[in-house]
Amino acid sequence: MRSYQPDLTPPWKRSAPVPEVPAEPDLVVEEVSTGFCGAVIRCEKTAQGPTVTLEDRFGKHRVFPMEPRGFLLEGRVVTLVRPSAAGPVRPTRTASGSVAVPGARARVARAGRIYVEGRHDAELVERVWGDDLRIEGVVVEYLEGIDDLPAIVREFSPGPDARLGVLVDHLVPGSKESRIADLVSDADVLVVGHPYIDVWEAVKPSSVGIPAWPVVPRGQDWKTGVCRSLGWPENTGAAWQRILSTVRSYRDLEPALLGSVEHLIDFVTAPPE
């Protein structure tokens, strides 16, 4: 008969139990040893034990062993376990990857604004960040180009309580867009951009179902050239709706656009210094 062996470890040296959390798809956790933060993509059984694949906000994947006490969930240490077929309902997330707030009402609109160049830009921002923007009370408007941006900024009269963020297409050194952006530089105005000719290109080709965005010769309307190269009807409005319909979350967008939009949201919602 085996004799009872008491646990003589002092209480202050014993590891406190941590909750076991099913690794449901889209659950966002942080791996404790590397600090890598991402959404659960899948769990797998391997010869070395179960693993979980995480995807960060830029689309990078990493595989980690599901070690005890190996992850942080909203700042708390947890042990991830494989979900059962009838596991609990997974947390709901917004298209931007943020934790959804059930029953949250839209906040009264702030004085600050985010301006984007065109209607397609505004529709894409709404598709991915719409829930977040309503909770933060941020209104997005479009400009139909940025040639008149200096006059628009003067009329808006930005200040610490009414910051203005502007998202610009093809913001690269030496471009017309970069010269206009320099004219409105101010502590309460932030102009950021992406390197793409048009916001269409900020949607990952793999999401649209094409190998790559076509190279359109200079002097040709870019959107029409894209439709022509892809064999689509030369109806840019219909083409955009086709592209937009493939965007379901931040994972369908290029990192250069993700970072720019989230930088703008942070800027216009930051408390006055």
Side-chain angles (χ1 to χ4, degrees):
M1 179 175 177
R2 182 177 298 176
S3 61
Y4 171 71
Q5 297 293 329
D7 185 358
L8 301 178
T9 306
W12 60 88
K13 289 189 177 181
R14 296 175 190 169
S15 296
V18 300
E20 292 188 346
V21 177
E24 297 283 346
D26 288 343
L27 180 72
V28 174
V29 294
E30 178 181 338
E31 203 276 331
V32 295
S33 63
T34 63
F36 185 89
C37 184
V40 172
I41 298 300
R42 60 182 171 271
C43 296
E44 295 176 295
K45 291 179 65 176
T46 72
Q48 291 75 37
T51 64
V52 61
T53 301
L54 304 182
E55 180 185 68
D56 71 7
R57 57 184 285 191
F58 301 113
K60 182 180 180 181
H61 288 196
R62 288 190 62 176
V63 180
F64 297 100
M66 295 171 71
E67 300 280 0
R69 307 174 65 90
F71 299 86
L72 296 176
L73 175 62
E74 298 180 351
R76 296 183 301 118
V77 177
V78 299
T79 296
L80 288 187
V81 296
R82 290 173 59 84
S84 63
V89 177
R90 67 192 188 199
T92 302
R93 311 198 71 80
T94 68
S96 72
S98 301
V99 176
V101 182
R105 295 184 179 182
R107 178 174 174 167
V108 175
R110 295 174 182 265
R113 291 287 186 275
I114 291 177
Y115 285 160
V116 297
E117 280 206 52
R119 182 168 57 84
H120 294 179
D121 306 67
E123 290 176 345
L124 187 59
V125 169
E126 165 62 27
R127 173 64 64 95
V128 176
W129 289 274
D131 291 337
D132 301 357
L133 292 167
R134 279 182 283 278
I135 290 176
E136 294 290 349
V138 177
V139 174
V140 175
E141 301 180 14
Y142 63 91
L143 301 170
E144 293 290 9
I146 66 165
D147 290 350
D148 297 326
L149 184 59
I152 291 169
V153 171
R154 285 194 299 271
E155 182 179 355
F156 185 84
S157 298
D161 294 314
R163 291 178 173 170
L164 181 60
V166 185
L167 179 69
V168 177
D169 296 343
H170 199 230
L171 189 63
V172 296
S175 65
K176 176 190 77 172
E177 291 81 2
S178 67
R179 291 192 293 272
I180 293 174
D182 289 341
L183 295 175
V184 299
S185 178
D186 183 87
D188 299 309
V189 179
L190 176 64
V191 181
V192 298
H194 55 72
Y196 311 114
I197 294 173
D198 189 272
V199 77
W200 289 19
E201 277 193 298
V203 180
K204 291 180 178 178
S206 57
S207 296
V208 181
I210 58 177
W213 287 105
V215 176
V216 177
R218 293 177 67 87
Q220 184 179 142
D221 178 73
W222 187 84
K223 291 177 181 176
T224 302
V226 166
C227 294
R228 190 173 298 148
S229 295
L230 295 176
W232 296 354
E234 294 181 19
N235 180 330
T236 58
W240 169 242
Q241 292 306 313
R242 177 175 182 169
I243 295 164
L244 185 63
S245 69
T246 68
V247 177
R248 296 173 179 82
S249 77
Y250 70 96
R251 298 191 186 102
D252 297 306
L253 302 183
E254 298 288 359
L257 179 66
L258 293 174
S260 292
V261 174
E262 298 199 0
H263 191 185
L264 289 176
I265 295 173
D266 290 344
F267 177 75
V268 299
T269 58
E273 297 181 356

